[in-house]
Amino acid sequence: MSAGGGTTTITQAVTNPTGVTAHPLTIVWRFPHAAIPAAPLPRAGQPEIGIGRDPSCEVQLTGPDVSRRHALLRPSPGEATAIVDLGSRNGVRVNGRPSAVAPLGPQDVLRLGSWIGVVTTTPGGSPDLGYRVIRNPSGPELLRWAREHGHLP
């Protein structure tokens, strides 16, 4: 990933709890830019939240690799909010894995097109995401990580 001057790669989750949490969860968008507001995850009894390019989506992400109606954040009674791919061209990835439907928990990393977001309980600041971060990784290091995590054969 590159956004101007450097490259940052999120590599490994230290913990990845799933299920209901006592604190409200929010998706904080980190790439390609963080200017978009954080997206609170809906809880049981609240309406679904649409994500995509379409003006009717509650969370609007720009770019040709995001579908007009890309995904939904769907609350479930007694369960974690799930992200649901709406048949988008580029799909939804949760923690690096393609997902048609996936429950979301703290520290999950989402990818919709080129957009990358992190589920957190602290949307206002720079939370400790529980990830080991490599700044300006070398090519071999990045390739090794991508292979280890199933992004390359």
Side-chain angles (χ1 to χ4, degrees), residues 27-77:
I27 300 172
V28 178
W29 299 100
R30 296 293 186 193
F31 187 86
H33 53 81
I36 176 172
L41 270 60
R43 295 184 138 206
Q46 295 178 330
E48 297 175 332
I49 294 176
I51 303 174
R53 289 190 339 256
D54 194 278
S56 69
C57 291
E58 291 81 2
V59 177
Q60 292 181 17
L61 303 178
T62 58
D65 52 356
V66 176
S67 296
R68 286 179 352 114
R69 297 212 19 95
H70 200 104
L72 284 177
L73 295 172
R74 179 175 290 158
S76 302

Side-chain angles (χ1 to χ4, degrees), residues 7 9 134 136-147 152:
T7 302
T9 303
I134 300 171
N136 300 319
S138 67
E141 184 179 15
L142 186 56
L143 287 173
R144 182 177 53 252
W145 176 87
R147 283 190 184 99
L152 292 174

